[in-house]
Amino acid sequence: MTAGSPAGEPPSRGKRADAQRNRRTVLDVLFGIGSLSMIWSAAPAGGRAAATGLAALMWALASMFAQRGLTLRPVVHNHPPQYQFNPALHLHATIPAPTPAGDDLGPDNVHPLQR
């Protein structure tokens, strides 16, 4: 928080940014009202309320994301890591004992297929 900002509110980005955000909000609300009025006038009388209500719900959902300001910028963390990373690979392998010379038949548990 900056000096002078009430508790719980984010610090202001300046008068110009606040005015631009307010202008976008007003234009977004006007666009939504216009869209809903067009849906109301174009929908048949039996489903007019349902169509307008569904459109208002979808508009409110889309408006929340739009007012939040979606961005594709990556989040950059400028603080150093709090841990030490040591990339080390420890392999524990056993080497089989060499077979004596002349034992070329393979292991004892292998049997040929019988028909």
Side-chain angles (χ1 to χ4, degrees):
M1 283 192 312
T2 61
S5 65
E9 289 186 16
S12 178
R13 288 180 273 166
K15 289 182 181 180
R16 186 177 187 141
D18 288 342
Q20 185 179 7
R21 185 174 55 235
N22 291 341
R23 193 170 31 248
R24 278 195 320 243
T25 303
V26 169
L27 289 176
D28 188 40
V29 168
L30 290 175
F31 181 80
I33 290 171
S35 299
L36 292 177
S37 66
M38 286 186 272
I39 291 170
W40 179 268
S41 65
R48 191 172 278 174
T52 306
L54 183 62
L57 182 66
M58 292 296 115
W59 173 78
L61 184 66
S63 181
M64 284 190 308
F65 287 113
Q67 290 296 322
R68 183 177 171 268
L70 293 178
T71 180
L72 296 177
R73 295 181 191 168
V75 177
V76 178
H77 300 284
N78 289 328
H79 54 83
Q82 301 297 323
Y83 55 87
Q84 181 66 31
F85 180 68
N86 296 323
L89 182 62
H90 299 285
L91 295 177
H92 300 283
T94 58
I95 300 173
T99 58
D103 188 17
D104 295 336
L105 300 176
D108 290 335
N109 64 348
V110 177
H111 304 286
L113 293 174
Q114 298 188 11
R115 294 185 179 208

